[in-house]
Amino acid sequence: PEMQRPYVWKQKQVAALIDSLYRDIPIGLLLFWEPTDTKHFRALKGGHLKNPTIAIIDGQQRLTSIHDVANHHKIVMFDTSDPAGNFQIENKKTRANDRWVSVYDVWDSDSFTFTDSLATKLNMTPAERSDLGKKMDAINKIKERKPPSFILKDVDDPEKITQVFIRINESGKKLSKSDTAFAIAALKFPGLLMERLSSIQQKNKNWKTSTANRNSFFANALATITVNTVKMLPFKEYLLRETTSESKIKNNLKSLEIGLHYTYEF
């Protein structure tokens, strides 16, 4: 849904995720949401929008990472010479050593054929060949892992979903006050505030502002027009009011665009 932040995981986190799946270490619950209105859902990074009926509340970073590895967008390598197994993102060192193999290549091949070919190439002993086969089988079993998941159904209350989203994310990368405010805005006014604000930012992308995230100059300007302060807490409280209507949001966005136009001309 619109309230989701962009994909932010670092390369080493992707390798660590694959390592956990390899060792059958739990990677946490995947939480989904299946509301009645899904027309404002965004496609997962790297995916294609095909009238989705379900949204990710918690698990976007993990699912996107697995998708990227499975589609060769991120190349995670495995050290076959390490008795315990070792995963890391591809680099010059791993590319130059035949004992490092990519997870994608293992997934994309027949396990026996891949093992036999690599063992022959590395001139392995029968014992080493057997050990390699076990490791390749373990990498292939990653595809069969089924992390626990839960689907919230028939819940269309923006406040409840926002609270679920905030509570879940409190244990990970902390949500900023602006993240919280815009999560509420995205759920209460789907397809309006976030889309219009993104459009405004795109139109004025040549502006030099101090930050590149949602809590940008444009977001601060909108908050100021709305509640007379750049602070996000009053803006969040305004969005939660029952009296806050779609027409008021539209008027404030229009005021923002007009103000930006005259400011730019000045």
Side-chain angles (χ1 to χ4, degrees), residues 170-182:
E170 280 178 345
S171 60
K173 186 177 179 179
K174 294 291 185 182
L175 285 171
S176 67
K177 290 183 174 65
S178 61
D179 283 324
T180 304
F182 285 115

Side-chain angles (χ1 to χ4, degrees), residues 97-117:
N97 191 332
D98 290 335
R99 289 187 175 273
W100 285 87
V101 297
S102 107
V103 171
Y104 173 83
D105 288 340
V106 178
W107 285 354
D108 197 45
S109 309
D110 173 73
S111 185
F112 177 80
T113 304
F114 186 90
T115 300
D116 187 60
S117 175

Side-chain angles (χ1 to χ4, degrees):
E2 287 181 309
M3 66 184 178
Q4 279 285 13
R5 292 170 291 178
Y7 179 72
V8 296
W9 265 24
K10 293 180 171 60
Q11 303 271 45
K12 63 181 181 180
Q13 290 175 287
V14 179
L17 175 67
I18 299 300
D19 184 82
S20 294
L21 290 166
Y22 174 78
R23 302 178 199 286
D24 200 15
I25 295 172
I27 63 168
L29 178 76
L30 301 175
L31 182 61
F32 302 96
W33 175 36
E34 195 171 22
T36 55
D37 182 9
T38 61
K39 64 183 179 181
H40 298 291
F41 284 174
R42 299 180 304 189
L44 188 67
K45 175 186 172 289
H48 301 284
L49 195 62
K50 293 181 179 178
N51 301 318
T53 59
I54 193 165
I56 303 166
I57 297 298
D58 190 47
Q60 179 204 178
Q61 308 296 323
R62 286 165 285 166
L63 289 170
T64 302
S65 297
I66 293 169
H67 174 277
D68 282 354
V69 174
N71 288 276
H72 217 220
H73 301 320
K74 283 189 172 63
I75 305 175
V76 175
M77 305 294 287
F78 176 78
D79 184 3
T80 61
S81 65
D82 189 327
N86 177 33
F87 292 88
Q88 68 179 58
I89 294 293
E90 183 187 45
N91 56 32
K92 288 182 180 179
K93 172 188 169 184
T94 63
R95 281 195 295 269
N97 191 332
D98 290 335
R99 289 187 175 273
W100 285 87
V101 297
S102 107
V103 171
Y104 173 83
D105 288 340
V106 178
W107 285 354
D108 197 45
S109 309
D110 173 73
S111 185
F112 177 80
T113 304
F114 186 90
T115 300
D116 187 60
S117 175
L118 182 61
T120 301
K121 185 178 183 179
L122 296 175
N123 197 27
M124 287 184 166
T125 66
E128 289 173 328
R129 186 180 292 253
S130 175
D131 182 59
L132 177 66
K134 291 176 183 177
K135 289 175 179 176
M136 296 303 99
D137 285 344
I139 291 176
N140 267 311
K141 283 183 179 177
I142 290 174
K143 296 184 291 183
E144 300 171 16
R145 304 279 184 235
K146 293 184 178 179
S149 63
F150 184 79
I151 302 175
L152 294 165
K153 295 187 176 183
D154 302 321
V155 181
D156 290 305
D157 179 7
E159 269 195 71
K160 181 170 182 179
I161 293 297
T162 303
Q163 287 304 316
V164 170
F165 179 70
I166 292 168
R167 188 68 60 86
I168 292 277
N169 279 277
E170 280 178 345
S171 60
K173 186 177 179 179
K174 294 291 185 182
L175 285 171
S176 67
K177 290 183 174 65
S178 61
D179 283 324
T180 304
F182 285 115
I184 293 167
L187 287 165
K188 192 171 180 180
F189 306 105
L192 173 61
L193 195 150
M194 295 304 299
E195 286 187 10
R196 287 279 297 277
L197 192 62
S198 294
S199 175
I200 289 169
Q201 288 176 316
Q202 183 62 26
K203 287 178 183 175
N204 297 281
K205 61 184 178 181
N206 57 325
W207 281 44
K208 302 297 181 185
T209 58
S210 59
T211 56
N213 57 23
R214 282 184 184 171
N215 193 19
S216 65
F217 168 82
F218 305 100
N220 291 139
L222 179 61
T224 304
I225 289 169
T226 306
V227 290
N228 298 316
T229 175
V230 296
K231 294 181 179 179
M232 284 294 151
L233 184 58
F235 184 54
K236 182 183 100 170
E237 291 170 349
Y238 171 83
L239 291 169
L240 283 171
R241 289 179 204 159
E242 289 185 13
T243 54
T244 301
S245 65
E246 188 172 306
S247 61
K248 288 182 179 179
I249 296 295
K250 285 181 178 178
N251 287 337
N252 290 342
L253 284 163
K254 186 64 179 176
S255 296
L256 175 62
E257 289 186 279
I258 293 170
L260 288 170
H261 170 73
Y262 283 110
T263 304
Y264 186 74
E265 289 300 313
F266 175 77

